[in-house]
Amino acid sequence: MLGNHDYKGNLDYSAEPPRRRDPPGVGVEAEMNHTFLPSNRNWCLPAHNYTLRVAAPSFDVLVVVFDSQAVVRLDPDADSGAYDGPTVPAPEDQLRWLEDTLCDARRAARESASSASSASRPLWLVTAAHHPVVSAGTYFWKGVEQFRVMRERVGPVLDRCGVHLHLHGHDHVSEAF
């Protein structure tokens, strides 16, 4: 999943002003393009947003990976120009894609379960993104607006669509609620 370092790179804070210290040819598009190299066997980042369906013995898991960095651009202080690129989804399009993908999957699972089909299996919905919707970590409680955007705009989508688990990074903590 994409995050702030994928967009802005690793910054050299010893320089004034801070500047990228990444070599040329890195960044979001380069990371996605690496997925499709014939020599690639381990890297999977096919797009800003994608889904993975995993079949467990008695249930299915749909993992919906989305680019939360595109969503936090709704924060007026997000330095959104740093996150622009030829393939970056607009924030409202990103939210629409997320809700459509999650709620369509939930609806299809309910219809399958109500059809009395013996092939019907429970579906666990899992999302993965760089930013948390809620966190006890330091960044989350510094009043950073991008977390407010995730809590107020993404959180209700996850609730409405019945997401069971949201995996995230950014806050540099390990926690379970």
Side-chain angles (χ1 to χ4, degrees):
M1 67 191 92
L2 295 166
N4 53 303
H5 290 280
D6 303 293
Y7 280 93
K8 293 178 108 173
N10 292 307
L11 296 178
D12 177 1
Y13 287 100
S14 66
E16 188 58 47
R19 64 176 184 269
R20 285 185 74 133
R21 61 177 177 214
D22 297 320
V26 299
V28 173
E29 280 72 27
E31 290 176 28
M32 289 188 294
N33 290 339
H34 188 74
T35 298
F36 305 104
L37 292 176
S39 61
N40 176 40
R41 296 206 183 350
N42 299 314
W43 183 259
C44 179
L45 183 64
H48 288 266
N49 308 310
Y50 56 97
T51 61
L52 303 166
R53 193 171 194 107
V54 180
S58 59
F59 59 92
D60 290 335
V61 178
L62 181 66
V63 180
V64 177
V65 181
F66 68 98
D67 183 356
S68 61
Q69 200 68 51
V71 174
V72 300
R73 291 168 57 204
L74 288 167
D75 165 19
D77 299 322
D79 186 19
S80 62
Y83 304 113
D84 289 341
T87 63
V88 180
E92 295 298 339
D93 293 342
Q94 182 73 341
L95 287 167
R96 193 171 16 268
W97 177 88
L98 180 63
E99 185 157 13
D100 290 350
T101 301
L102 291 169
C103 288
D104 287 353
R106 174 61 59 216
R107 192 171 15 265
R110 285 187 182 133
E111 289 170 3
S112 175
S114 67
S115 71
S117 165
S118 60
S120 174
R121 297 160 47 95
L123 176 68
W124 282 77
L125 281 178
V126 175
T127 55
H130 185 71
H131 293 87
V133 174
V134 66
S135 171
T138 305
Y139 294 130
F140 191 81
W141 294 109
K142 283 184 176 177
V144 178
E145 284 296 306
Q146 56 191 255
F147 295 116
R148 184 186 58 76
V149 169
M150 289 294 291
R151 188 174 57 252
E152 293 178 3
R153 299 295 301 275
V154 175
V157 170
L158 304 187
D159 289 342
R160 240 186 336 272
C161 298
V163 170
H164 296 97
L165 175 67
H166 176 69
L167 303 171
H168 65 84
H170 194 68
D171 229 359
H172 302 241
V173 297
S174 176
E175 56 192 353
F177 293 99

